[in-house]
Amino acid sequence: GENVEQHPSTLSVQEGDSAVIKCTYSDSASNYFPWYKQELGKGPQLIIDIRSNVGEKKDQRIAVTLNKTAKHFSLHITETQPEDSAVYFCAASRTGGGNKLTFGTGTQLKVEL
Amino acid sequence: NAGVTQTPKFQVLKTGQSMTLQCAQDMNHNSMYWYRQDPGMGLRLIYYSASEGTTDKGEVPNGYNVSRLNKREFSLRLESAAPSQTSVYFCASSEALRGLQYEQYFGPGTRLTVT
């Protein structure tokens, strides 16, 4: 089955700096890569996703890049703000089979003033 | 439009007791999922239902059973709770059109402690 590794497990940045979280996956058939943000006491919420036919996707301060050859994808947050502090999860999925997601182990991002 | 709702929010069980976690969605989604979240391990899929009338095992199904009661509701049952099942449980739902993956919407979670 799919295995998703995520690094780092914790990340501390100064407000206004950029943050980068990296994930690798094992199943070459995976073709959908979402990123979720989880605030304390809440369920995860999708912030951005990318499909394998695209190398990069951007939404305001958030961007995701995908390297299919190396089987890794990354989340980039620019101009970080205190409200970006949360746990971020990457995930991977392949078409069919119930569209199951395999999650990484999460990154605790702390944006310091 | 409440999205995905879960009951209860908190539960404490003794070893060997049984309980059912309830989940409902009002988005007319075909697919529903149950995950557990443990510290340092991310979210792991317990069971899923790709469409009404079907259920399948995920990564960690042992000790659990599920029922897709109708299109809206998907319940998770612990027949004989064990301390290893202490966790936060999340239900999620998503659309599934032409086999493509779409956003999974998560409920607020149920925090379960088994003593």
Side-chain angles (χ1 to χ4, degrees):
Chain A
E2 175 67 278
N3 182 51
V4 177
E5 294 190 358
Q6 181 172 349
H7 300 280
S9 57
T10 61
L11 180 59
S12 185
V13 300
Q14 294 292 316
E15 184 180 7
D17 287 350
S18 295
V20 180
I21 302 170
K22 299 182 178 182
C23 289
T24 60
Y25 61 98
S26 61
D27 186 354
S28 57
S30 288
N31 57 1
Y32 175 68
F33 307 94
W35 286 88
Y36 284 82
K37 176 183 181 182
Q38 186 178 27
E39 296 177 343
L40 196 62
K42 297 185 177 180
Q45 188 169 11
L46 182 76
I47 55 171
I48 195 166
D49 56 11
I50 190 168
R51 300 187 188 274
S52 59
N53 58 347
V54 175
E56 184 174 359
K57 185 176 179 180
K58 191 173 181 181
D59 183 3
Q60 299 183 332
R61 298 186 296 109
I62 294 173
V64 57
T65 58
L66 171 64
N67 183 326
K68 287 188 295 183
T69 302
K71 288 191 280 189
H72 68 69
F73 56 114
S74 301
L75 177 71
H76 305 252
I77 306 174
T78 59
E79 301 171 21
T80 53
Q81 301 167 4
E83 52 265 38
D84 293 329
S85 295
V87 179
Y88 292 81
F89 291 97
C90 62
S93 172
R94 59 190 301 177
T95 304
N99 299 322
K100 303 182 295 290
L101 287 176
T102 300
F103 283 86
T105 50
T107 296
Q108 174 76 60
L109 174 64
K110 183 176 181 181
V111 180
E112 297 177 335
L113 297 171
Chain B
N1 194 349
V4 178
T5 56
Q6 293 182 236
T7 56
K9 285 186 168 49
F10 301 93
Q11 184 71 48
V12 178
L13 291 178
K14 294 189 188 316
T15 297
Q17 289 185 318
S18 62
M19 79 161 297
T20 299
L21 282 66
Q22 307 285 355
C23 174
Q25 52 93 8
D26 61 3
M27 295 172 281
N28 202 36
H29 286 162
N30 286 313
S31 300
M32 298 186 73
Y33 311 84
W34 275 107
Y35 294 91
R36 61 177 287 172
Q37 183 174 32
D38 302 294
M41 301 191 73
L43 292 102
R44 294 181 292 168
L45 184 65
I46 304 171
Y47 270 93
Y48 68 99
S49 172
S51 61
E52 187 179 357
T54 69
T55 60
D56 283 287
K57 295 178 181 179
E59 181 185 355
V60 288
N62 291 345
Y64 305 95
N65 284 300
V66 292
S67 295
R68 183 76 182 264
L69 304 170
N70 48 56
K71 192 172 186 179
R72 288 187 65 248
E73 298 172 288
F74 188 38
S75 63
L76 178 71
R77 182 159 179 84
L78 287 70
E79 290 291 351
S80 179
S84 60
Q85 295 178 304
T86 293
S87 189
V88 181
Y89 291 85
F90 288 99
C91 177
S93 71
S94 74
E95 190 47 271
L97 298 174
R98 298 183 298 278
L100 288 179
Q101 307 94 324
Y102 292 89
E103 175 179 0
Q104 288 191 14
Y105 293 82
F106 285 80
T110 294
R111 186 173 295 274
L112 175 66
T113 301
V114 183
T115 61

